Structures are given as C-alpha cells and as structure tokens.
Amino acid sequence: MTEHVGTGFERGTDGPKVVLAGVDGSESSLRAAAYAAGLARRQGALLALVYVQPVMAAGASLGAPVPDTTEEIAQGLVAEIRAAAERLKGIFEVRWEFHTFRGDPYAGLVDAADELKADAVVVGASEQAGHRIVGSVAVRLVKAGRWPVTVVP
C-alpha cells in the first residue's frame, strides 16, 4: 500500500477560502478589489485587501527624511484604500480584512499570499508603459506559479 503525498496546493475545499487582492489606489487595483470581492462573495471566501508600502532607497528623496515621507504617503493611501474597501463592504456582503506589508510590490504580495495562506491572487494590470516590455508585478506573480492569478484591466 502506497501513501499519496499532496502537493500542498489543494486544501480540500470547493473554491478558494482566501482571495487576496493587491491594492495601491490606482484605478486598475480598485477594479481588481471589486472583482476579488465578487469572487470572495460567490465562493464564501475571506477577501484580504493588501497594500504593499514601498521602502525607498536611502537618499532617493533628495534630502527629505525618507521614513517620514514614505509613512506620510502610505497613511494617505491607506486611508483612501480603507474608504474604498468600506464602500465595497456596503455593496458586497463579504468578509474582508485589510493588511499592509512593506517592500517592493512583488515581494510584498508574495509575503502576504504566503502569510495569509491565499488560495487566489487578484491584481490590477500595470498602468505603467514600461511594464509592457520589462514585466509587471502581475506577470511575475503568474510566473511564480504558486497561486491562480487573475489580472484585471
């Protein structure tokens, strides 16, 4: 008799139990959050809204105190994203949480997906022209091959 060892991907459920949506205040990320909210509602899953607060390189701010500047920007974005999340909560009856991680967007979303045990990741398409050539966070998440990734335009 042989014992079958699972791959760790299937968690014995019908559909995702944690849907992670990466949000940064951009229009495409807010559309991704709305799409993820609908998916979470239909699946009876938890919606985890994740904002990755960038960490600036030392000296990048041309003299401004970097931690203060990034924290001030992050607080403004967090307030905006929380307000959008509250609006979504009124539209969709869905369980949701808001999380902030630090780092570059790709690494932050990977850390968030691992820590929150995400079953699916939803992100907005990059709105930066250069990403069509170099590769966006969404493309890197898909290439990681660790979760189903939905990219919302």
Side-chain angles (χ1 to χ4, degrees):
M1 184 153 91
T2 59
E3 185 175 320
H4 295 284
V5 178
T7 62
F9 183 77
E10 178 63 38
R11 291 195 172 90
T13 61
D14 291 335
K17 291 299 175 196
V18 177
V19 176
L20 184 150
V23 292
D24 62 8
S26 68
E27 287 299 317
S28 68
S29 79
L30 296 177
R31 285 191 297 271
Y35 182 91
L39 179 62
R41 181 183 54 80
R42 289 186 298 278
Q43 296 291 337
L46 172 69
L47 172 63
L49 297 169
V50 174
Y51 166 64
V52 179
Q53 180 179 336
V55 177
M56 293 176 64
S61 63
L62 302 172
V66 176
D68 294 343
T69 304
T70 56
E71 192 61 37
E72 188 176 308
I73 292 167
Q75 286 175 1
L77 276 174
V78 167
E80 181 181 327
I81 293 165
R82 279 189 187 272
E86 287 290 344
R87 286 193 301 275
L88 286 176
K89 190 176 180 183
I91 296 167
F92 296 109
E93 286 304 316
V94 63
R95 293 178 302 123
W96 67 279
E97 299 174 348
F98 182 86
H99 300 272
T100 302
F101 285 75
R102 294 180 79 99
D104 73 87
Y106 171 76
L109 288 173
V110 168
D111 289 347
D114 286 344
E115 186 175 316
L116 301 171
K117 294 180 176 39
D119 296 291
V121 177
V122 181
V123 292
S126 174
E127 295 179 353
Q128 297 180 13
H131 285 169
R132 291 186 188 98
I133 299 165
V134 178
S136 65
V137 171
V139 169
R140 292 173 66 194
L141 289 168
V142 170
K143 286 182 177 178
R146 294 169 59 185
W147 326 265
V149 177
T150 302
V151 183
V152 177

